[in-house]
Every structure is written in structure tokens, then in C-alpha cells.
Amino acid sequence: MRLDRVILLSIFFLITWSASAQRTVVSGRVTDASTGDPIPFANVIFKDQSTGTTTDFEGYYKVEIGLKVDSVLCSYIGYKAKVKPIKYGQTQVVNFQLQEEVATLQEVVFIAGENPAYPILRNVVANKPINDKKSLNAYQYETYSKVEVDVDNITDRFKKKKFVKKITQVMDSVEQIAGEDGKPILPVFISETISQFYFRNNPELKHEKILKSKITGVGVEDGSLVSQFIGSSFQEYNFYQNWLNIVSKDFVSPIADGWKLYYDYDLLDSAMVGNDYCYRLDFYPKREQDLAFYGTMWITKNEYALKQIDATVTKTANLNYIEKIKIQQELTKTEAGAWIPTKNRILLDIGEITENMAGVLAKFYTSNQDIEVNKPFENKFYEKPIVVAEDFSIGNTDEFWESKRHEPLSPTEMSVYRMIDTLKNIPIVKTYTEIINIAVNGYKKFGKFDVGPYLSIYANNTIEGHRFQLGLRTNSDFSNRWIFGGFLAYGTRDDEFKYNGFVKRIMSRDRWTTIQAQYTHDIDQVGLSAEDLIGYSVFLTATKFGNLVRPYYYNQFKLIAQRELFKGYNQKITFNYRTFDPLYSFAYRTEPESMDSPLEREIQTAEVTIESRFAKDELFIQNENDRISLGANKWPIFTVRYTRGIAGIAGSDFSYNRMGVNIQKDLRLGLFGTSNFDISAEHIFETLPYPLLKAHIGNESTFFSQAAFNLMNFSEFASSTYASLRYNHYFEGFVLNRIPVMKKLKWRLVATANVLYGYLDTDNLNLLPEFDENGVEVQQIGRLTDDPYVELGYGVENIFKVLRVDFLHRLTYLDNPDASKFAVKFSFQFIL
């Protein structure tokens, strides 16, 4: 061989070997341009090559190749693909920020044969009893939780607002938070929490102990309240359950038992995910208005278990103000076979309520470690679902959190802490924070005292004229054991001062135990008593305006003691002394058996009430000196009440016995919506004047109220024995989502039914004379006969997102004076 050929051939092989030895290594992170959150499971490949990888749960990737390449491509479902140039033969960092792709959901069509995804899904459902974490006797783990709330959609128009201009200095650094290609966001809250979470089955019980919390936020003062919400208890989503409750709405899982009714599927790929060979399935709602997800999930080939899922709800769903809900989850198999989520990320994107407002992003992240299974504790251990350690805010040093975080903070998150510290000290921000706190809590805080509630500051009615009221109470800065408060009111027409004073002692927070004494002098109405409208503050406030129905002055002294004896069971004892001084024509016979007996107008009563309340799975949180119920989950709430009236105490006139019961329950019916019912019954054993009986709450206004019988007149009926049912059903989008023209409006059907059986003994009516001692005709009271009072209603809510219209029909007692057979009533509600 000629020497020149040998040399040329050698050079050729040298060049070829050199080229193959040069490897291009690219690593980086893929994030959402709108939120800054990482995008797990995204595809990253070299352009025009098959070599690539997927991002991990934190959005990181690393890929390398020995061939000559000049660019790398990143893509993921729901996002616009993006290409970036790279340098051949070098190790480099390339980050991607992907923009969401606004597109209608694709239609999935199979020409012949069965969809290949269907056998996989049938196996997933069949293996739920093995793979679902709730199949375990118990499990526990350490949880690291991180919550961030940001203001987004910050437009130039929003920046020009007067109050926004005053935070320009902070806004100038927004671009750094958003990132290279991202949209500007303004953080207002960030928190980190370390907790220990416990679950046991049969009975199903949960317990979470918040060990440490680090909280920084605009307007956040009491870390103990916030700490109860930022653990894992409120961020736990189990796709093995048929329905996931998010923002008080039920969303159907893509692996629900009835998956075929709600979703279409694509089997796109199979690949190794970690150590498991998995099928990749993309899923889409059959109707885009339904409360369902679209996204991608990975199902293991051997166990048919959910390995990873990325599920999104978009603004096409029948929700208000919600632009997007995204849940990303990574699961790990336990030694017992069931799979437990080890990483969760939830995004809640709330859109602009009006064009002049910005939006809000709420981002939640949890990581679970040190998982132990099938080691249940005694039931007593789980009595309190959420407990905050006394030293939860002590020792929150940077060194502590660096050692405890399951994942380190990103540079962006470290900047968030600094920005919030700056933002919350700006005077205009403090002012708006105070306004929001007043709107939510009803009180304005002044050091150790709260002034309010604002709903009661002013009223105008036929008895008092202009009524002005100012209330005051102490807060936890004054004492976390003693609470003092009261109000002073004045009416310009009756020239009468009204007042209230109370003192409350918290004896125990562990088993919530309180003692309270109060004295009140005020005005009230028969059938519209404030005590009967607790929990309906707006309707109660409305009753203070206009014409007062059967008004009376009263003096009342109450002594209340209550204690949670064990989880879910609360015992209360009340002593109540009350006077009745009517401001309308009223009198009663003091001797019912004699038609000529002396007449009286005023009434004094002294009574002792014993009340037992059982709510098996009711969840409470403690807010400073209050305990707030978040409702029960599966079980009804039962209340039994016995009252003994005692004559002779401080001039009290009557001895009597009354027994009552109440049952409340919310029913989640999945596809068909949500129902709730309230059943009440009571019996009074003695003969009493009707102000001491049950005067049923009517509603003569044009506004709908769940506290009243909406087609019943004020004080139309009273009963000594009664049973009532209030039933409400919310169809969500079940019907209207299926009507092409209506589904775009996002209206929702509602239905109501109010039924009342009541009885008023003739002896009770005989207590009322026709005329009083001055010859003035006495106002009588109506009663129910053998037929029940029935009203049915149907309507539409979510009109313009805030308006509800109810069409109501009264079916019985139509011959009563001024009875309305039909009415259209309105109400305003802020709902998702």
C-alpha cells in the first residue's frame, strides 16, 4: 500500500474516532412559564434523533449523545414544544420554560377493535384493592410541605393602579422571580412545614402532628392557625378513590370504577420509569365542561398500579374563577404491596375576577419519607386530626431547614422569602391587608381588642328607627384563656339603649372546654329570633331592617358550660333566664282552664338545657380563641337537646319539658351532584303561650334563604310538636353540561324541598284571649293541621357567576290569608 494512502486512511480513522469520542452532554430544568413550577415527565430529546429522556419530578433532566447535534427539543402534553440550540461536544446547562398551549381537547377515534387502553384500565380497577394505600391496616411517614401563593397576570393596566404604583420598587424585581421566559409573578406567601402523618383503617382515622413551620406572608400574623392548613392533611389526593374533592367540588378520577363513562384514552407508549416497566396512557374528558381531568399517567405492567400521574383541569370545566388545577404525583410501592404517593405537587390558578384585577397562583408541594406500614396505634392516638406542637415556631434557623428539607429550595424560592419580607412592610400593603381582614373576619383589630362585627353597625326598622351599634371583644394578645366582650346599641325612634356583655374562659384546648356568662338587653322578633338564626348572619342582619314582626324587648342571662368528652362528642349545659316584653298586642290567660282568668302580657322563664352533639368525623381548627368547624366528611351530625323550664326562679312563670333532635348530612352523589339535608323534630310536653313554642321561620322578602320556609309568611305557624325536612340538591353541571347551547354559560341546576309537619294543641290556643284588658285585639297565631306544609323549588345558580334564581311553589295551606302559591326569589353567592 502506498504511503500516502496509508496516511490518508489513518487520518480518516483518526477523525472518525475523534468525532465519536466527542460527546454532547446537556442538563437543565423544565418549568412552566406561567407559574415557575417544574414540569415533571416532560420529553427532552436531541432534535432529529431518537436519543432523549424525561424530566424527573422536580423537572430536572440530563441527556447525552456521541453523534453530531446542534439543538435539543423539549415537549409535553398541554404545552408548546420548544427547541434550543446547543454546542456540539460540550457539557452545558439548558433550561426550558414552556408556554401552555391553548387548544381544544382532541377527539379520540378508533376505527375497528377495542381501544388497547381498555384492558389496562380494567386491570387497574381490578387491582385497586391491592394497590390502594387504604388497603393497608395503617401507614405513617414524615412529610415536608411547601406552600407558595403568588399574584400573577400582572398587566400594564394593573401596574398603573394607584396602590400598585406605591410598590414599584418591589415590582421592578418581579422579572427576576419569573425567570428568563416566564410571566411576571408577585409572591405574597410562602411556608414550609415538617410534620408526622398517621393513618389507620377500620375505623378510618387520621392524625397529623405539625412539628415545625416556617411562615412568611403578607397579612399573616397568627402562625398557629395557618400551620393547621399547610400540612399534608389538606393536600392529600388519592386517585384510587372514584372522586377527588378539590376546592369543595368532586372531580372524577381517571381510574374511577366508571372510567368509561367520563373519559377517552390513548395508549401512547411503554417504557421504564425508574425500576418499573410502565404503560403511558393519555386521558381526556368526554365532555370538556365536566369536572374531570386531562393528562398522562404511567401504569406498571406487573401490578397495574399507578406509578406517576399528571392531571389537569382547565377553565373549560364548569368552575368559576379557576383557570387551571394541576395535580402531579409520584408513587412508591410499599413492602406490603400498596402504593403510597411520595411526591405531590398541586397548582391552583385563580383567574382575574374582573379585568382590573390580577390573578392568584396557589402552589402546594409535599414529599413523604420514612414510610412505615401496618403498625396501627390505639384509636385514642388519632382523636385529634391535626395538632400543632407547642414549639412549632421555635428554632426555625436556616441550618435547621437546610437539614430537614426533602428537596433544597431553588434560587427562585429563596428570592421569594426576601421579596415578601420587603413587600409586607410597605404601608399601602398593610392598609389593604387590614381591609381584607375586616371583610373576612368582620372585626378590626386594635392591639389587644377587636371592634365589630361590621354587619351590625347600622340598621333601620319601624321600632328603633336608625339603629347604631358598636361591639368590642378581646383577642389572644390580651389573653389566650379569657375573652371579654359586648356591644352597645341605640335606636333613635324608641330612644332605647341596648347592650350585651360576656366573659368566656377557655378551660382546656386539648379537649375543648369553655365556660361563658353573658347578659343582654335587646329587641327581637317572634319567629325570627337571633338564637334560631345562628350561622345565618346575613339573613339575621336583614331581619333588623324594615317592619319588625311581633317585636319584643328582652333581658337575658345565660351561663354556658361545654366540653368535648371524646372525639366527636360534645356535651353542653346551659342555664337561661329570659324576659319577654311585647311591643305588639299580646296577652295570655294565666289559668288556661278558665276563660275569665287574669291576663298577662310579659313572660319570664328560667330553664336548663342539656345538649349532646355527636359528629364522628368532624374536623376542627383553632383560630386564636375560637374553634371553627370545617364540617363532617362521611357521617351525619346528630344533636339531641332536652330543656327543663323551672317556675319560681327570679319570678319565672312556667315549668315545662321540651325534647328536640337534629340530623344534618351532606351527600356526595358523584355524577349527579351534591345534596344536603337537615331533619329537625321537637316536642313540648306542657301548655304554653306561643312565644315559648316553636314559631316557624318564614320569609316575606324577595331573597331566597336556606334558614327559612321561603313561601311561609312571618309567624304564620307555631307548633308544640313538629318535624321538618330541609333538602337541597346541587346538580352542578349534570344536566346543563349536556345541552350544547347551555353548557357554555356554565349555569347549574338546583332543587329544594321544605316539608313541615306540626301540631298545636287547642289548649295552647285557648291561652290567647280575643282582646286584652284594654280591649285591644290580640294577635293570634296559626297552626298546622293534619296536612304538612310543603314547598318545592327549582332554579339556576351561577348566573353571571354570582346570581341564583329560585322558582318556588307552595303546595299546601293555599287558603291562608296572603298565602303565596308561587314566587321567584333571588340570592347572591360567591361559589366556585
Side-chain angles (χ1 to χ4, degrees):
M1 182 180 293
R2 291 176 53 183
L3 181 60
D4 58 343
R5 290 186 178 181
V6 173
I7 293 173
L8 288 173
L9 189 60
S10 299
I11 292 172
F12 172 77
F13 280 112
L14 182 62
I15 292 173
T16 304
W17 176 86
S18 176
S20 63
Q22 283 186 303
R23 299 191 67 79
T24 303
V25 181
V26 183
S27 61
R29 199 181 197 196
V30 181
T31 57
D32 186 305
S34 298
T35 67
D37 274 355
I39 300 177
F41 327 135
N43 301 308
V44 182
I45 63 170
F46 291 106
K47 191 177 180 184
D48 300 327
Q49 301 292 332
S50 59
T51 303
T53 186
T54 58
T55 56
D56 64 15
F57 197 79
E58 305 306 324
Y60 291 105
Y61 74 93
K62 183 178 181 180
V63 65
E64 57 182 285
I65 194 171
L67 301 175
K68 190 170 184 178
V69 289
D70 61 5
S71 57
V72 65
L73 168 69
C74 181
S75 64
Y76 190 59
I77 182 173
Y79 292 88
K80 297 177 183 178
K82 196 168 190 177
V83 177
K84 282 196 171 186
I86 57 174
K87 295 178 181 179
Y88 164 65
Q90 295 186 19
T91 298
Q92 57 213 280
V93 175
V94 178
N95 296 319
F96 288 91
Q97 288 184 299
L98 300 185
Q99 298 279 353
E100 188 176 3
E101 185 170 30
V102 180
T104 56
L105 299 178
Q106 69 182 67
E107 183 179 359
V108 182
V109 178
F110 297 94
I111 297 174
E114 185 182 40
N115 184 334
Y118 287 3
I120 298 172
L121 287 160
R122 283 195 290 268
N123 278 297
V124 170
V125 172
N127 284 277
K128 275 188 183 184
I130 301 172
N131 295 323
D132 186 358
K133 63 182 181 179
K134 288 196 172 181
S135 65
L136 299 168
N137 292 329
Y139 58 82
Q140 65 187 67
Y141 44 72
E142 180 189 89
T143 296
Y144 167 74
S145 302
K146 184 167 53 186
V147 179
E148 182 182 337
V149 179
D150 307 312
V151 176
D152 75 335
N153 293 332
I154 303 172
T155 62
D156 291 336
R157 184 175 181 180
F158 180 74
K159 289 182 180 180
K160 292 177 182 178
K161 285 181 166 293
K162 185 176 180 180
F163 79 93
V164 177
K165 288 182 179 179
K166 297 187 178 183
I167 58 173
T168 303
Q169 183 179 357
V170 177
M171 296 292 290
D172 288 342
S173 61
V174 167
E175 298 298 338
Q176 298 175 14
I177 295 294
E180 175 190 354
D181 301 318
K183 298 178 181 179
I185 58 175
L186 182 66
V188 293
F189 176 89
I190 188 170
S191 70
E192 297 177 86
T193 301
I194 293 289
S195 63
Q196 198 71 30
F197 183 85
Y198 305 85
F199 171 88
R200 74 160 293 164
N201 224 334
N202 297 322
E204 184 175 310
L205 299 169
K206 297 178 182 179
H207 174 74
E208 182 175 17
K209 184 171 185 178
I210 309 295
L211 302 176
K212 293 290 182 184
S213 289
K214 182 181 181 181
I215 301 169
T216 299
V218 176
V220 177
E221 297 181 3
D222 178 26
S224 62
L225 172 64
V226 177
S227 294
Q228 296 171 72
F229 284 103
I230 58 180
S232 62
S233 294
F234 293 98
Q235 303 169 46
E236 189 182 20
Y237 298 106
N238 185 357
F239 283 92
Y240 282 104
Q241 304 300 299
N242 291 332
W243 299 89
L244 285 79
N245 188 257
I246 311 171
V247 293
S248 300
K249 299 287 185 181
D250 287 328
F251 295 79
V252 62
S253 169
I255 56 172
D257 293 344
W259 50 269
K260 205 171 184 179
L261 296 173
Y262 307 98
Y263 288 98
D264 290 317
Y265 299 85
D266 269 343
L267 173 59
L268 292 185
D269 197 4
S270 56
M272 291 296 296
V273 179
N275 297 322
D276 297 286
Y277 191 79
C278 297
Y279 301 108
R280 172 184 166 175
L281 277 70
D282 286 1
F283 47 90
Y284 316 89
K286 286 182 178 291
R287 291 164 295 275
E288 60 182 12
Q289 282 78 22
D290 284 356
L291 298 185
F293 303 93
Y294 82 85
T296 302
M297 58 184 171
W298 287 259
I299 304 297
T300 62
K301 182 179 180 181
N302 293 330
E303 301 94 343
Y304 291 97
L306 184 64
K307 171 73 174 181
Q308 292 177 341
I309 187 168
D310 186 343
T312 301
V313 178
T314 66
K315 60 183 179 182
T316 59
N318 195 335
L319 288 170
N320 292 331
Y321 315 113
I322 302 296
E323 295 285 326
K324 180 168 63 176
I325 300 172
K326 179 182 280 287
I327 302 177
Q328 298 163 329
Q329 200 170 84
E330 186 175 84
L331 297 92
T332 299
K333 186 178 179 180
T334 65
E335 59 186 27
W339 292 67
I340 285 182
T342 49
K343 292 185 179 181
N344 300 271
R345 186 177 288 107
I346 300 102
L347 169 72
L348 181 61
D349 187 353
I350 303 173
E352 307 88 337
I353 296 177
T354 69
E355 293 182 357
N356 296 323
M357 298 179 66
V360 175
L361 288 174
K363 299 184 282 188
F364 309 86
Y365 171 84
T366 60
S367 172
N368 304 323
Q369 292 182 356
D370 302 328
I371 299 171
E372 295 185 46
V373 299
N374 295 334
K375 297 179 180 179
F377 293 90
E378 295 295 326
N379 289 4
K380 185 178 180 180
F381 176 82
Y382 305 88
E383 281 191 348
K384 291 193 175 297
I386 301 176
V387 174
V388 179
E390 291 186 3
D391 61 346
F392 78 98
S393 60
I394 301 174
N396 280 322
T397 63
D398 292 340
E399 292 76 14
F400 171 82
W401 285 102
E402 286 174 6
S403 66
K404 285 296 184 180
R405 291 185 184 108
H406 295 186
E407 296 288 341
L409 290 182
S410 67
T412 296
E413 289 166 335
M414 288 187 283
S415 297
V416 165
Y417 270 111
R418 293 191 296 269
M419 181 176 288
I420 293 174
D421 285 337
T422 302
L423 183 66
K424 65 184 182 181
N425 290 316
I426 298 175
I428 189 67
V429 174
K430 290 183 177 181
T431 300
Y432 274 86
T433 300
E434 285 292 334
I435 293 172
I436 293 172
N437 284 336
I438 293 171
V440 173
N441 300 319
Y443 285 84
K444 171 70 173 74
K445 184 175 181 179
F446 292 95
K448 299 179 180 181
F449 300 91
D450 298 335
V451 177
Y454 69 91
L455 278 177
S456 302
I457 289 176
Y458 174 77
N460 185 286
N461 57 66
T462 52
I463 301 298
E464 297 176 286
H466 300 286
R467 175 186 170 115
F468 301 95
Q469 179 176 314
L470 184 66
L472 186 74
R473 69 182 183 189
T474 60
N475 55 48
S476 59
D477 291 342
F478 177 87
S479 172
N480 63 357
R481 291 288 184 181
W482 291 95
I483 306 103
F484 299 89
F487 69 78
L488 179 66
Y490 176 74
T492 58
R493 177 173 294 178
D494 64 353
D495 194 24
E496 180 89 10
F497 281 99
K498 294 88 180 176
Y499 46 86
N500 163 273
F502 73 88
V503 56
K504 183 176 181 180
R505 167 72 173 173
I506 300 175
M507 307 298 293
S508 171
R509 292 178 181 270
D510 184 39
R511 292 196 177 279
W512 190 257
T513 306
T514 62
I515 297 176
Q516 177 174 338
Q518 68 178 44
Y519 185 84
T520 306
H521 170 71
D522 205 350
I523 193 169
D524 217 332
Q525 303 172 78
V526 175
L528 291 172
S529 170
E531 292 190 350
D532 292 332
L533 295 175
I534 294 175
Y536 300 95
S537 56
V538 175
F539 184 64
L540 175 60
T541 300
T543 65
K544 301 295 184 182
F545 287 81
N547 181 42
L548 298 190
V549 178
R550 304 184 192 230
Y552 61 91
Y553 289 124
Y554 71 93
N555 297 303
Q556 182 180 51
F557 172 74
K558 292 183 76 172
L559 184 62
I560 308 166
Q562 64 175 5
R563 179 174 174 84
E564 184 181 39
L565 297 181
F566 55 84
K567 177 177 167 52
Y569 182 82
N570 190 75
Q571 188 66 56
K572 181 163 68 173
I573 300 176
T574 304
F575 172 76
N576 185 14
Y577 176 83
R578 187 179 177 100
T579 66
F580 174 85
D581 183 8
L583 301 174
Y584 66 100
S585 56
F586 170 79
Y588 68 95
R589 295 186 175 94
T590 55
E591 299 174 7
E593 64 281 357
S594 172
M595 301 299 288
D596 297 323
S597 70
L599 302 181
E600 281 286 349
R601 296 183 70 254
E602 298 181 357
I603 301 173
Q604 294 83 35
T605 59
E607 58 186 29
V608 175
T609 299
I610 300 174
E611 179 181 289
S612 301
R613 185 177 186 274
F614 182 65
K616 183 175 181 179
D617 59 353
E618 188 174 18
L619 180 61
F620 288 95
I621 60 169
Q622 293 185 21
N623 179 20
E624 294 190 345
N625 292 331
D626 291 326
R627 191 170 79 144
I628 302 170
S629 171
L630 299 182
N633 186 17
K634 295 181 180 180
W635 295 89
I637 298 175
F638 297 91
T639 304
V640 178
R641 184 182 299 109
Y642 168 73
T643 298
R644 169 64 179 172
I646 307 170
I649 296 180
S652 58
D653 300 309
F654 297 96
S655 293
Y656 51 88
N657 299 273
R658 62 197 304 163
M659 178 71 75
V661 63
N662 176 261
I663 305 172
Q664 301 175 41
K665 179 74 174 77
D666 289 336
L667 299 172
R668 300 192 179 279
L669 303 178
L671 174 68
F672 302 101
T674 303
S675 293
N676 62 61
F677 66 81
D678 187 311
I679 298 174
S680 295
E682 187 178 49
H683 176 65
I684 301 171
F685 293 84
E686 285 75 26
T687 301
L688 300 171
Y690 73 78
L692 301 183
L693 305 179
K694 178 62 177 178
H696 303 290
I697 302 173
N699 181 10
E700 296 182 13
S701 74
T702 58
F703 296 99
F704 178 86
S705 173
Q706 293 187 8
F709 293 93
N710 284 282
L711 291 181
M712 185 183 291
N713 295 323
F714 293 139
S715 298
E716 184 175 354
F717 300 106
S719 300
S720 56
T721 302
Y722 76 92
S724 67
L725 166 67
R726 301 180 189 275
Y727 182 83
N728 298 277
H729 184 75
Y730 306 89
F731 286 94
E732 300 295 347
F734 172 62
V735 177
L736 298 185
N737 278 2
R738 288 153 177 78
I739 302 175
V741 177
M742 300 298 296
K743 64 183 182 180
K744 298 296 182 182
L745 297 173
K746 295 188 177 181
W747 290 2
R748 306 164 193 168
L749 292 180
V750 293
T752 62
N754 288 333
V755 180
L756 171 66
Y757 282 89
Y759 175 76
L760 184 60
D761 193 277
T762 303
D763 291 341
N764 293 98
L765 293 177
N766 289 338
L767 284 177
L768 300 178
E770 188 175 351
F771 299 95
D772 65 14
E773 292 178 336
N774 299 320
V776 178
E777 186 176 0
V778 171
Q779 289 190 29
Q780 304 295 310
I781 194 76
R783 65 171 175 173
L784 295 159
T785 57
D786 294 335
D787 297 322
Y789 173 89
V790 180
E791 61 182 32
L792 302 178
Y794 49 89
V796 178
E797 64 177 357
N798 207 40
I799 301 172
F800 306 120
K801 296 184 179 180
V802 295
L803 179 63
R804 169 173 169 169
V805 180
D806 284 85
F807 304 89
L808 301 163
H809 298 266
R810 175 167 165 165
L811 305 185
T812 55
Y813 299 94
L814 302 179
D815 295 330
N816 281 14
D818 301 320
S820 298
K821 298 180 181 179
F822 174 78
V824 179
K825 300 208 172 190
F826 306 89
S827 57
F828 296 92
Q829 50 190 7
F830 185 83
I831 58 174
L832 296 176

